[in-house]
Amino acid sequence: EGEQAAAVVNGIFTVISAWPEINHRLLRVYQDNELLLHAGPLLEYWDLVDEDSRLRIGGQGAVSLSIPFGARFAMSLTAYAAVIGSPFEESELPSTYELRTLWRRGFSGGIRYRL
C-alpha cells in the first residue's frame, strides 16, 4: 500500500481470528436502550504462502447501542476498532519497507432475536 495505490493478491494469506470480549453497560438510555462498552484481546493465526505461520496478539474495543423493539427483537449499532502487529517479520521485507501496525475500524448494524 502506498500513498496513491494499493496492491492486493488473493490466496497469499489464510487468517484465523478469535476475539473473546467482556462488555460493560455504560448507561441505560430511555427505557431499555443500552450503551455498552466491549473490550478484549485479539488473537490471529496467519498462514503465509512459502513462510512459517505465526500468531499475532492485539486488542479490540467497541461501543454499541442496543435498541429493543417488541418483546424479542433489538436493533444493535456498533462502532469498533482493533489493533494488531504486522503479520511480517523485519527480515522478510526489503530495506525500503517498514513494519506497520494493522488497524481495523468499522461500523456495523444488526437485528437480534432473543430466544
Side-chain angles (χ1 to χ4, degrees), residues 19-69:
W19 55 92
E21 69 178 25
I22 59 170
N23 61 53
H24 174 71
R25 180 175 45 209
L26 294 175
L27 59 105
R28 188 176 293 262
V29 183
Y30 185 72
Q31 295 179 0
D32 293 331
N33 302 333
E34 295 179 322
L35 186 63
L36 300 170
L37 177 65
H38 309 259
L42 172 60
L43 309 168
E44 289 192 344
Y45 172 80
W46 289 74
D47 187 16
L48 288 77
V49 171
D50 297 331
E51 296 291 338
D52 292 334
S53 58
R54 57 216 50 190
L55 178 68
R56 296 294 186 252
I57 300 172
Q60 55 89 21
V63 175
S64 66
L65 177 63
S66 178
I67 306 167
F69 54 96

mmCIF file of all heavy atoms in Angstrom, residues 19-69:
data_model
loop_
_atom_site.group_PDB
_atom_site.id
_atom_site.type_symbol
_atom_site.label_atom_id
_atom_site.label_comp_id
_atom_site.label_asym_id
_atom_site.label_seq_id
_atom_site.Cartn_x
_atom_site.Cartn_y
_atom_site.Cartn_z
ATOM 1 N N TRP A 19 -11.622 -13.350 19.065
ATOM 2 C CA TRP A 19 -11.634 -12.132 19.863
ATOM 3 C C TRP A 19 -12.612 -12.255 21.026
ATOM 4 O O TRP A 19 -13.708 -11.702 21.003
ATOM 5 C CB TRP A 19 -11.910 -10.897 19.009
ATOM 6 C CG TRP A 19 -13.159 -10.949 18.206
ATOM 7 C CD1 TRP A 19 -14.392 -10.497 18.559
ATOM 8 C CD2 TRP A 19 -13.315 -11.485 16.893
ATOM 9 N NE1 TRP A 19 -15.293 -10.732 17.557
ATOM 10 C CE2 TRP A 19 -14.666 -11.338 16.523
ATOM 11 C CE3 TRP A 19 -12.437 -12.090 15.995
ATOM 12 C CZ2 TRP A 19 -15.155 -11.771 15.304
ATOM 13 C CZ3 TRP A 19 -12.937 -12.514 14.780
ATOM 14 C CH2 TRP A 19 -14.267 -12.344 14.451
ATOM 15 N N PRO A 20 -12.206 -12.973 22.074
ATOM 16 C CA PRO A 20 -13.064 -13.023 23.259
ATOM 17 C C PRO A 20 -13.179 -11.616 23.845
ATOM 18 O O PRO A 20 -12.233 -10.826 23.755
ATOM 19 C CB PRO A 20 -12.312 -13.959 24.198
ATOM 20 C CG PRO A 20 -10.909 -13.931 23.732
ATOM 21 C CD PRO A 20 -10.944 -13.663 22.264
ATOM 22 N N GLU A 21 -14.336 -11.319 24.397
ATOM 23 C CA GLU A 21 -14.510 -9.967 24.926
ATOM 24 C C GLU A 21 -15.369 -9.966 26.169
ATOM 25 O O GLU A 21 -16.122 -10.906 26.419
ATOM 26 C CB GLU A 21 -15.121 -9.041 23.886
ATOM 27 C CG GLU A 21 -16.555 -9.351 23.546
ATOM 28 C CD GLU A 21 -17.164 -8.375 22.548
ATOM 29 O OE1 GLU A 21 -16.417 -7.763 21.759
ATOM 30 O OE2 GLU A 21 -18.380 -8.233 22.556
ATOM 31 N N ILE A 22 -15.226 -8.908 26.919
ATOM 32 C CA ILE A 22 -16.141 -8.630 28.016
ATOM 33 C C ILE A 22 -16.878 -7.358 27.639
ATOM 34 O O ILE A 22 -16.395 -6.562 26.831
ATOM 35 C CB ILE A 22 -15.412 -8.464 29.369
ATOM 36 C CG1 ILE A 22 -14.404 -7.324 29.306
ATOM 37 C CG2 ILE A 22 -14.734 -9.758 29.781
ATOM 38 C CD1 ILE A 22 -13.822 -6.958 30.643
ATOM 39 N N ASN A 23 -18.067 -7.191 28.181
ATOM 40 C CA ASN A 23 -18.762 -5.935 27.930
ATOM 41 C C ASN A 23 -19.321 -5.405 29.234
ATOM 42 O O ASN A 23 -19.516 -6.135 30.196
ATOM 43 C CB ASN A 23 -19.826 -6.062 26.837
ATOM 44 C CG ASN A 23 -20.912 -7.039 27.179
ATOM 45 O OD1 ASN A 23 -21.525 -6.952 28.229
ATOM 46 N ND2 ASN A 23 -21.146 -7.981 26.291
ATOM 47 N N HIS A 24 -19.523 -4.112 29.232
ATOM 48 C CA HIS A 24 -19.996 -3.416 30.417
ATOM 49 C C HIS A 24 -21.020 -2.371 29.984
ATOM 50 O O HIS A 24 -20.761 -1.609 29.045
ATOM 51 C CB HIS A 24 -18.820 -2.743 31.125
ATOM 52 C CG HIS A 24 -19.215 -1.888 32.276
ATOM 53 N ND1 HIS A 24 -19.683 -2.408 33.455
ATOM 54 C CD2 HIS A 24 -19.218 -0.546 32.422
ATOM 55 C CE1 HIS A 24 -19.960 -1.418 34.285
ATOM 56 N NE2 HIS A 24 -19.681 -0.281 33.672
ATOM 57 N N ARG A 25 -22.156 -2.357 30.664
ATOM 58 C CA ARG A 25 -23.163 -1.350 30.334
ATOM 59 C C ARG A 25 -22.706 -0.008 30.877
ATOM 60 O O ARG A 25 -22.497 0.157 32.077
ATOM 61 C CB ARG A 25 -24.515 -1.726 30.918
ATOM 62 C CG ARG A 25 -25.580 -0.679 30.580
ATOM 63 C CD ARG A 25 -26.963 -1.026 31.004
ATOM 64 N NE ARG A 25 -26.990 -1.550 32.358
ATOM 65 C CZ ARG A 25 -27.895 -2.409 32.783
ATOM 66 N NH1 ARG A 25 -28.814 -2.871 31.973
ATOM 67 N NH2 ARG A 25 -27.873 -2.818 34.022
ATOM 68 N N LEU A 26 -22.511 0.943 29.980
ATOM 69 C CA LEU A 26 -22.121 2.283 30.383
ATOM 70 C C LEU A 26 -23.309 3.057 30.930
ATOM 71 O O LEU A 26 -23.189 3.755 31.927
ATOM 72 C CB LEU A 26 -21.507 3.044 29.208
ATOM 73 C CG LEU A 26 -20.180 2.509 28.689
ATOM 74 C CD1 LEU A 26 -19.758 3.274 27.448
ATOM 75 C CD2 LEU A 26 -19.115 2.606 29.765
ATOM 76 N N LEU A 27 -24.430 2.937 30.225
ATOM 77 C CA LEU A 27 -25.629 3.598 30.711
ATOM 78 C C LEU A 27 -26.862 3.062 30.014
ATOM 79 O O LEU A 27 -26.782 2.479 28.944
ATOM 80 C CB LEU A 27 -25.543 5.123 30.555
ATOM 81 C CG LEU A 27 -25.344 5.705 29.154
ATOM 82 C CD1 LEU A 27 -26.649 6.292 28.656
ATOM 83 C CD2 LEU A 27 -24.299 6.791 29.245
ATOM 84 N N ARG A 28 -27.967 3.246 30.656
ATOM 85 C CA ARG A 28 -29.266 2.890 30.091
ATOM 86 C C ARG A 28 -29.880 4.191 29.587
ATOM 87 O O ARG A 28 -29.956 5.164 30.321
ATOM 88 C CB ARG A 28 -30.151 2.252 31.157
ATOM 89 C CG ARG A 28 -31.429 1.675 30.610
ATOM 90 C CD ARG A 28 -32.207 0.986 31.707
ATOM 91 N NE ARG A 28 -31.507 -0.200 32.199
ATOM 92 C CZ ARG A 28 -31.782 -1.434 31.807
ATOM 93 N NH1 ARG A 28 -32.736 -1.650 30.940
ATOM 94 N NH2 ARG A 28 -31.117 -2.449 32.279
ATOM 95 N N VAL A 29 -30.272 4.177 28.329
ATOM 96 C CA VAL A 29 -30.810 5.380 27.700
ATOM 97 C C VAL A 29 -32.296 5.184 27.457
ATOM 98 O O VAL A 29 -32.682 4.297 26.704
ATOM 99 C CB VAL A 29 -30.101 5.655 26.349
ATOM 100 C CG1 VAL A 29 -30.607 6.941 25.738
ATOM 101 C CG2 VAL A 29 -28.600 5.672 26.524
ATOM 102 N N TYR A 30 -33.124 5.950 28.105
ATOM 103 C CA TYR A 30 -34.570 5.944 27.904
ATOM 104 C C TYR A 30 -35.138 4.525 27.842
ATOM 105 O O TYR A 30 -34.998 3.829 26.853
ATOM 106 C CB TYR A 30 -34.948 6.736 26.645
ATOM 107 C CG TYR A 30 -36.435 6.854 26.451
ATOM 108 C CD1 TYR A 30 -37.194 7.672 27.271
ATOM 109 C CD2 TYR A 30 -37.070 6.131 25.463
ATOM 110 C CE1 TYR A 30 -38.559 7.769 27.100
ATOM 111 C CE2 TYR A 30 -38.432 6.225 25.275
ATOM 112 C CZ TYR A 30 -39.174 7.041 26.104
ATOM 113 O OH TYR A 30 -40.527 7.139 25.936
ATOM 114 N N GLN A 31 -35.744 4.092 28.843
ATOM 115 C CA GLN A 31 -36.337 2.763 28.996
ATOM 116 C C GLN A 31 -35.288 1.662 28.880
ATOM 117 O O GLN A 31 -34.384 1.601 29.694
ATOM 118 C CB GLN A 31 -37.492 2.542 28.020
ATOM 119 C CG GLN A 31 -38.669 3.458 28.283
ATOM 120 C CD GLN A 31 -39.791 3.229 27.290
ATOM 121 O OE1 GLN A 31 -39.703 2.405 26.406
ATOM 122 N NE2 GLN A 31 -40.869 3.966 27.469
ATOM 123 N N ASP A 32 -35.337 0.826 27.848
ATOM 124 C CA ASP A 32 -34.448 -0.338 27.760
ATOM 125 C C ASP A 32 -33.271 -0.183 26.795
ATOM 126 O O ASP A 32 -32.555 -1.139 26.539
ATOM 127 C CB ASP A 32 -35.262 -1.574 27.357
ATOM 128 C CG ASP A 32 -36.231 -1.990 28.449
ATOM 129 O OD1 ASP A 32 -35.933 -1.740 29.631
ATOM 130 O OD2 ASP A 32 -37.274 -2.569 28.115
ATOM 131 N N ASN A 33 -33.062 0.983 26.237
ATOM 132 C CA ASN A 33 -31.918 1.193 25.349
ATOM 133 C C ASN A 33 -30.635 1.174 26.187
ATOM 134 O O ASN A 33 -30.582 1.760 27.262
ATOM 135 C CB ASN A 33 -32.019 2.528 24.628
ATOM 136 C CG ASN A 33 -33.289 2.646 23.820
ATOM 137 O OD1 ASN A 33 -33.851 1.644 23.387
ATOM 138 N ND2 ASN A 33 -33.756 3.861 23.613
ATOM 139 N N GLU A 34 -29.613 0.497 25.682
ATOM 140 C CA GLU A 34 -28.365 0.374 26.436
ATOM 141 C C GLU A 34 -27.170 0.786 25.590
ATOM 142 O O GLU A 34 -27.094 0.452 24.411
ATOM 143 C CB GLU A 34 -28.141 -1.076 26.873
ATOM 144 C CG GLU A 34 -29.149 -1.595 27.845
ATOM 145 C CD GLU A 34 -28.874 -3.042 28.207
ATOM 146 O OE1 GLU A 34 -28.470 -3.825 27.321
ATOM 147 O OE2 GLU A 34 -29.046 -3.369 29.385
ATOM 148 N N LEU A 35 -26.248 1.489 26.213
ATOM 149 C CA LEU A 35 -24.971 1.811 25.605
ATOM 150 C C LEU A 35 -23.930 0.918 26.273
ATOM 151 O O LEU A 35 -23.759 0.963 27.492
ATOM 152 C CB LEU A 35 -24.623 3.284 25.817
ATOM 153 C CG LEU A 35 -23.376 3.792 25.118
ATOM 154 C CD1 LEU A 35 -23.539 3.691 23.605
ATOM 155 C CD2 LEU A 35 -23.094 5.220 25.530
ATOM 156 N N LEU A 36 -23.266 0.060 25.475
ATOM 157 C CA LEU A 36 -22.329 -0.933 26.001
ATOM 158 C C LEU A 36 -20.913 -0.659 25.524
ATOM 159 O O LEU A 36 -20.703 -0.220 24.386
ATOM 160 C CB LEU A 36 -22.726 -2.342 25.545
ATOM 161 C CG LEU A 36 -24.104 -2.840 25.952
ATOM 162 C CD1 LEU A 36 -24.435 -4.131 25.234
ATOM 163 C CD2 LEU A 36 -24.153 -3.045 27.453
ATOM 164 N N LEU A 37 -19.945 -0.942 26.395
ATOM 165 C CA LEU A 37 -18.536 -0.893 26.053
ATOM 166 C C LEU A 37 -18.035 -2.327 25.967
ATOM 167 O O LEU A 37 -18.288 -3.130 26.858
ATOM 168 C CB LEU A 37 -17.758 -0.136 27.137
ATOM 169 C CG LEU A 37 -16.252 -0.059 26.970
ATOM 170 C CD1 LEU A 37 -15.902 0.758 25.728
ATOM 171 C CD2 LEU A 37 -15.623 0.550 28.205
ATOM 172 N N HIS A 38 -17.332 -2.678 24.881
ATOM 173 C CA HIS A 38 -16.787 -4.019 24.665
ATOM 174 C C HIS A 38 -15.262 -3.896 24.574
ATOM 175 O O HIS A 38 -14.756 -2.969 23.952
ATOM 176 C CB HIS A 38 -17.282 -4.619 23.344
ATOM 177 C CG HIS A 38 -18.756 -4.568 23.167
ATOM 178 N ND1 HIS A 38 -19.559 -5.657 23.388
ATOM 179 C CD2 HIS A 38 -19.586 -3.565 22.781
ATOM 180 C CE1 HIS A 38 -20.809 -5.331 23.145
ATOM 181 N NE2 HIS A 38 -20.847 -4.058 22.770
ATOM 182 N N ALA A 39 -14.536 -4.858 25.154
ATOM 183 C CA ALA A 39 -13.068 -4.847 25.067
ATOM 184 C C ALA A 39 -12.528 -6.257 25.258
ATOM 185 O O ALA A 39 -13.168 -7.089 25.909
ATOM 186 C CB ALA A 39 -12.480 -3.921 26.119
ATOM 187 N N GLY A 40 -11.360 -6.502 24.681
ATOM 188 C CA GLY A 40 -10.728 -7.804 24.870
ATOM 189 C C GLY A 40 -9.543 -7.990 23.956
ATOM 190 O O GLY A 40 -9.221 -7.140 23.131
ATOM 191 N N PRO A 41 -8.878 -9.134 24.089
ATOM 192 C CA PRO A 41 -7.725 -9.421 23.237
ATOM 193 C C PRO A 41 -8.168 -9.830 21.834
ATOM 194 O O PRO A 41 -9.303 -10.241 21.629
ATOM 195 C CB PRO A 41 -7.048 -10.592 23.945
ATOM 196 C CG PRO A 41 -8.165 -11.278 24.649
ATOM 197 C CD PRO A 41 -9.122 -10.190 25.060
ATOM 198 N N LEU A 42 -7.261 -9.696 20.915
ATOM 199 C CA LEU A 42 -7.461 -10.151 19.537
ATOM 200 C C LEU A 42 -6.326 -11.115 19.233
ATOM 201 O O LEU A 42 -5.151 -10.759 19.351
ATOM 202 C CB LEU A 42 -7.436 -8.967 18.570
ATOM 203 C CG LEU A 42 -7.444 -9.281 17.077
ATOM 204 C CD1 LEU A 42 -8.698 -10.056 16.691
ATOM 205 C CD2 LEU A 42 -7.326 -8.004 16.267
ATOM 206 N N LEU A 43 -6.649 -12.348 18.898
ATOM 207 C CA LEU A 43 -5.657 -13.375 18.579
ATOM 208 C C LEU A 43 -5.812 -13.742 17.112
ATOM 209 O O LEU A 43 -6.915 -14.059 16.666
ATOM 210 C CB LEU A 43 -5.875 -14.614 19.447
ATOM 211 C CG LEU A 43 -5.985 -14.366 20.945
ATOM 212 C CD1 LEU A 43 -6.485 -15.605 21.650
ATOM 213 C CD2 LEU A 43 -4.652 -13.933 21.499
ATOM 214 N N GLU A 44 -4.720 -13.696 16.368
ATOM 215 C CA GLU A 44 -4.787 -14.057 14.951
ATOM 216 C C GLU A 44 -3.660 -15.010 14.588
ATOM 217 O O GLU A 44 -2.509 -14.807 14.955
ATOM 218 C CB GLU A 44 -4.707 -12.816 14.059
ATOM 219 C CG GLU A 44 -5.954 -11.997 14.124
ATOM 220 C CD GLU A 44 -6.030 -10.931 13.055
ATOM 221 O OE1 GLU A 44 -4.993 -10.597 12.432
ATOM 222 O OE2 GLU A 44 -7.129 -10.429 12.857
ATOM 223 N N TYR A 45 -4.018 -16.045 13.859
ATOM 224 C CA TYR A 45 -3.078 -17.014 13.325
ATOM 225 C C TYR A 45 -2.963 -16.727 11.834
ATOM 226 O O TYR A 45 -3.953 -16.799 11.104
ATOM 227 C CB TYR A 45 -3.606 -18.433 13.584
ATOM 228 C CG TYR A 45 -2.812 -19.511 12.904
ATOM 229 C CD1 TYR A 45 -1.620 -19.961 13.451
ATOM 230 C CD2 TYR A 45 -3.252 -20.082 11.720
ATOM 231 C CE1 TYR A 45 -0.886 -20.956 12.834
ATOM 232 C CE2 TYR A 45 -2.529 -21.074 11.090
ATOM 233 C CZ TYR A 45 -1.344 -21.498 11.654
ATOM 234 O OH TYR A 45 -0.620 -22.486 11.031
ATOM 235 N N TRP A 46 -1.776 -16.352 11.384
ATOM 236 C CA TRP A 46 -1.527 -16.026 9.990
ATOM 237 C C TRP A 46 -0.744 -17.164 9.345
ATOM 238 O O TRP A 46 0.314 -17.532 9.831
ATOM 239 C CB TRP A 46 -0.706 -14.749 9.871
ATOM 240 C CG TRP A 46 -1.441 -13.508 10.221
ATOM 241 C CD1 TRP A 46 -1.782 -13.088 11.472
ATOM 242 C CD2 TRP A 46 -1.909 -12.515 9.322
ATOM 243 N NE1 TRP A 46 -2.444 -11.896 11.395
ATOM 244 C CE2 TRP A 46 -2.539 -11.511 10.091
ATOM 245 C CE3 TRP A 46 -1.878 -12.367 7.941
ATOM 246 C CZ2 TRP A 46 -3.114 -10.392 9.523
ATOM 247 C CZ3 TRP A 46 -2.446 -11.243 7.381
ATOM 248 C CH2 TRP A 46 -3.061 -10.274 8.167
ATOM 249 N N ASP A 47 -1.253 -17.690 8.260
ATOM 250 C CA ASP A 47 -0.550 -18.703 7.483
ATOM 251 C C ASP A 47 -0.227 -18.079 6.134
ATOM 252 O O ASP A 47 -1.127 -17.799 5.337
ATOM 253 C CB ASP A 47 -1.435 -19.945 7.326
ATOM 254 C CG ASP A 47 -0.704 -21.108 6.679
ATOM 255 O OD1 ASP A 47 0.546 -21.071 6.621
ATOM 256 O OD2 ASP A 47 -1.371 -22.042 6.230
ATOM 257 N N LEU A 48 1.055 -17.809 5.897
ATOM 258 C CA LEU A 48 1.501 -17.166 4.668
ATOM 259 C C LEU A 48 2.096 -18.207 3.729
ATOM 260 O O LEU A 48 2.799 -19.114 4.164
ATOM 261 C CB LEU A 48 2.579 -16.121 4.962
ATOM 262 C CG LEU A 48 2.128 -14.831 5.634
ATOM 263 C CD1 LEU A 48 1.883 -15.026 7.093
ATOM 264 C CD2 LEU A 48 3.173 -13.770 5.407
ATOM 265 N N VAL A 49 1.837 -18.071 2.445
ATOM 266 C CA VAL A 49 2.383 -18.980 1.442
ATOM 267 C C VAL A 49 3.911 -18.900 1.479
ATOM 268 O O VAL A 49 4.484 -17.808 1.524
ATOM 269 C CB VAL A 49 1.856 -18.604 0.036
ATOM 270 C CG1 VAL A 49 2.572 -19.396 -1.048
ATOM 271 C CG2 VAL A 49 0.371 -18.829 -0.042
ATOM 272 N N ASP A 50 4.566 -20.044 1.514
ATOM 273 C CA ASP A 50 6.040 -20.160 1.493
ATOM 274 C C ASP A 50 6.729 -19.549 2.712
ATOM 275 O O ASP A 50 7.921 -19.243 2.663
ATOM 276 C CB ASP A 50 6.632 -19.538 0.220
ATOM 277 C CG ASP A 50 6.166 -20.247 -1.039
ATOM 278 O OD1 ASP A 50 5.882 -21.467 -0.948
ATOM 279 O OD2 ASP A 50 6.087 -19.596 -2.095
ATOM 280 N N GLU A 51 6.022 -19.300 3.802
ATOM 281 C CA GLU A 51 6.615 -18.766 5.033
ATOM 282 C C GLU A 51 6.076 -19.545 6.221
ATOM 283 O O GLU A 51 5.057 -20.217 6.119
ATOM 284 C CB GLU A 51 6.278 -17.277 5.211
ATOM 285 C CG GLU A 51 6.835 -16.363 4.149
ATOM 286 C CD GLU A 51 8.351 -16.240 4.207
ATOM 287 O OE1 GLU A 51 8.945 -16.501 5.269
ATOM 288 O OE2 GLU A 51 8.945 -15.898 3.167
ATOM 289 N N ASP A 52 6.754 -19.443 7.355
ATOM 290 C CA ASP A 52 6.263 -20.065 8.575
ATOM 291 C C ASP A 52 4.993 -19.346 9.030
ATOM 292 O O ASP A 52 4.875 -18.130 8.886
ATOM 293 C CB ASP A 52 7.300 -19.973 9.696
ATOM 294 C CG ASP A 52 8.534 -20.825 9.408
ATOM 295 O OD1 ASP A 52 8.397 -21.810 8.655
ATOM 296 O OD2 ASP A 52 9.609 -20.500 9.933
ATOM 297 N N SER A 53 4.070 -20.108 9.585
ATOM 298 C CA SER A 53 2.865 -19.477 10.131
ATOM 299 C C SER A 53 3.238 -18.762 11.420
ATOM 300 O O SER A 53 4.275 -19.020 12.021
ATOM 301 C CB SER A 53 1.782 -20.523 10.380
ATOM 302 O OG SER A 53 2.258 -21.503 11.254
ATOM 303 N N ARG A 54 2.394 -17.830 11.844
ATOM 304 C CA ARG A 54 2.698 -17.046 13.033
ATOM 305 C C ARG A 54 1.439 -16.611 13.755
ATOM 306 O O ARG A 54 0.375 -16.514 13.159
ATOM 307 C CB ARG A 54 3.541 -15.840 12.680
ATOM 308 C CG ARG A 54 2.858 -14.987 11.655
ATOM 309 C CD ARG A 54 3.702 -14.322 10.637
ATOM 310 N NE ARG A 54 4.627 -15.168 9.954
ATOM 311 C CZ ARG A 54 5.581 -14.738 9.162
ATOM 312 N NH1 ARG A 54 5.700 -13.472 8.933
ATOM 313 N NH2 ARG A 54 6.396 -15.549 8.576
ATOM 314 N N LEU A 55 1.593 -16.366 15.043
ATOM 315 C CA LEU A 55 0.491 -15.912 15.883
ATOM 316 C C LEU A 55 0.749 -14.468 16.253
ATOM 317 O O LEU A 55 1.852 -14.110 16.668
ATOM 318 C CB LEU A 55 0.404 -16.774 17.147
ATOM 319 C CG LEU A 55 -0.677 -16.396 18.147
ATOM 320 C CD1 LEU A 55 -2.064 -16.667 17.560
ATOM 321 C CD2 LEU A 55 -0.503 -17.161 19.442
ATOM 322 N N ARG A 56 -0.264 -13.633 16.109
ATOM 323 C CA ARG A 56 -0.170 -12.232 16.497
ATOM 324 C C ARG A 56 -1.232 -11.951 17.547
ATOM 325 O O ARG A 56 -2.349 -12.463 17.477
ATOM 326 C CB ARG A 56 -0.375 -11.302 15.295
ATOM 327 C CG ARG A 56 0.695 -11.430 14.230
ATOM 328 C CD ARG A 56 2.037 -10.950 14.772
ATOM 329 N NE ARG A 56 3.068 -10.924 13.766
ATOM 330 C CZ ARG A 56 4.070 -11.783 13.711
ATOM 331 N NH1 ARG A 56 4.156 -12.762 14.578
ATOM 332 N NH2 ARG A 56 4.996 -11.672 12.784
ATOM 333 N N ILE A 57 -0.877 -11.113 18.523
ATOM 334 C CA ILE A 57 -1.797 -10.764 19.600
ATOM 335 C C ILE A 57 -1.964 -9.257 19.610
ATOM 336 O O ILE A 57 -1.000 -8.508 19.501
ATOM 337 C CB ILE A 57 -1.262 -11.251 20.963
ATOM 338 C CG1 ILE A 57 -1.103 -12.769 20.940
ATOM 339 C CG2 ILE A 57 -2.170 -10.814 22.092
ATOM 340 C CD1 ILE A 57 -0.416 -13.343 22.154
ATOM 341 N N GLY A 58 -3.208 -8.815 19.726
ATOM 342 C CA GLY A 58 -3.513 -7.397 19.760
ATOM 343 C C GLY A 58 -4.678 -7.143 20.689
ATOM 344 O O GLY A 58 -4.957 -7.927 21.597
ATOM 345 N N GLY A 59 -5.374 -6.065 20.445
ATOM 346 C CA GLY A 59 -6.525 -5.719 21.269
ATOM 347 C C GLY A 59 -7.642 -5.161 20.421
ATOM 348 O O GLY A 59 -7.423 -4.685 19.303
ATOM 349 N N GLN A 60 -8.855 -5.240 20.941
ATOM 350 C CA GLN A 60 -10.009 -4.708 20.227
ATOM 351 C C GLN A 60 -10.977 -4.088 21.221
ATOM 352 O O GLN A 60 -11.011 -4.464 22.387
ATOM 353 C CB GLN A 60 -10.686 -5.795 19.394
ATOM 354 C CG GLN A 60 -11.106 -7.038 20.155
ATOM 355 C CD GLN A 60 -12.510 -6.959 20.737
ATOM 356 O OE1 GLN A 60 -13.326 -6.178 20.292
ATOM 357 N NE2 GLN A 60 -12.775 -7.754 21.745
ATOM 358 N N GLY A 61 -11.733 -3.126 20.737
ATOM 359 C CA GLY A 61 -12.736 -2.481 21.573
ATOM 360 C C GLY A 61 -13.877 -1.964 20.717
ATOM 361 O O GLY A 61 -13.719 -1.761 19.511
ATOM 362 N N ALA A 62 -15.014 -1.766 21.347
ATOM 363 C CA ALA A 62 -16.186 -1.297 20.607
ATOM 364 C C ALA A 62 -17.146 -0.593 21.562
ATOM 365 O O ALA A 62 -17.096 -0.790 22.774
ATOM 366 C CB ALA A 62 -16.901 -2.462 19.926
ATOM 367 N N VAL A 63 -18.010 0.188 20.979
ATOM 368 C CA VAL A 63 -19.127 0.799 21.689
ATOM 369 C C VAL A 63 -20.368 0.442 20.889
ATOM 370 O O VAL A 63 -20.380 0.569 19.660
ATOM 371 C CB VAL A 63 -18.978 2.330 21.773
ATOM 372 C CG1 VAL A 63 -20.196 2.962 22.400
ATOM 373 C CG2 VAL A 63 -17.722 2.709 22.535
ATOM 374 N N SER A 64 -21.402 -0.043 21.591
ATOM 375 C CA SER A 64 -22.623 -0.415 20.874
ATOM 376 C C SER A 64 -23.846 0.154 21.578
ATOM 377 O O SER A 64 -23.848 0.364 22.790
ATOM 378 C CB SER A 64 -22.748 -1.934 20.746
ATOM 379 O OG SER A 64 -22.926 -2.536 22.007
ATOM 380 N N LEU A 65 -24.861 0.382 20.786
ATOM 381 C CA LEU A 65 -26.154 0.857 21.277
ATOM 382 C C LEU A 65 -27.188 -0.195 20.912
ATOM 383 O O LEU A 65 -27.321 -0.562 19.750
ATOM 384 C CB LEU A 65 -26.518 2.198 20.644
ATOM 385 C CG LEU A 65 -27.880 2.770 21.019
ATOM 386 C CD1 LEU A 65 -27.952 3.070 22.517
ATOM 387 C CD2 LEU A 65 -28.163 4.024 20.207
ATOM 388 N N SER A 66 -27.878 -0.709 21.921
ATOM 389 C CA SER A 66 -28.930 -1.704 21.715
ATOM 390 C C SER A 66 -30.280 -1.031 21.909
ATOM 391 O O SER A 66 -30.533 -0.418 22.944
ATOM 392 C CB SER A 66 -28.749 -2.843 22.716
ATOM 393 O OG SER A 66 -29.775 -3.786 22.564
ATOM 394 N N ILE A 67 -31.133 -1.142 20.887
ATOM 395 C CA ILE A 67 -32.448 -0.502 20.901
ATOM 396 C C ILE A 67 -33.509 -1.573 20.708
ATOM 397 O O ILE A 67 -33.699 -2.061 19.601
ATOM 398 C CB ILE A 67 -32.559 0.556 19.782
ATOM 399 C CG1 ILE A 67 -31.411 1.557 19.898
ATOM 400 C CG2 ILE A 67 -33.914 1.233 19.818
ATOM 401 C CD1 ILE A 67 -31.250 2.442 18.687
ATOM 402 N N PRO A 68 -34.184 -1.977 21.787
ATOM 403 C CA PRO A 68 -35.199 -3.015 21.649
ATOM 404 C C PRO A 68 -36.471 -2.490 20.984
ATOM 405 O O PRO A 68 -36.828 -1.328 21.148
ATOM 406 C CB PRO A 68 -35.478 -3.452 23.083
ATOM 407 C CG PRO A 68 -34.980 -2.359 23.935
ATOM 408 C CD PRO A 68 -33.983 -1.575 23.161
ATOM 409 N N PHE A 69 -37.093 -3.359 20.211
ATOM 410 C CA PHE A 69 -38.430 -3.066 19.700
ATOM 411 C C PHE A 69 -39.195 -4.382 19.719
ATOM 412 O O PHE A 69 -38.772 -5.370 19.156
ATOM 413 C CB PHE A 69 -38.419 -2.398 18.319
ATOM 414 C CG PHE A 69 -37.656 -3.119 17.259
ATOM 415 C CD1 PHE A 69 -38.298 -3.976 16.383
ATOM 416 C CD2 PHE A 69 -36.294 -2.934 17.120
ATOM 417 C CE1 PHE A 69 -37.602 -4.631 15.397
ATOM 418 C CE2 PHE A 69 -35.581 -3.590 16.132
ATOM 419 C CZ PHE A 69 -36.231 -4.441 15.265
#
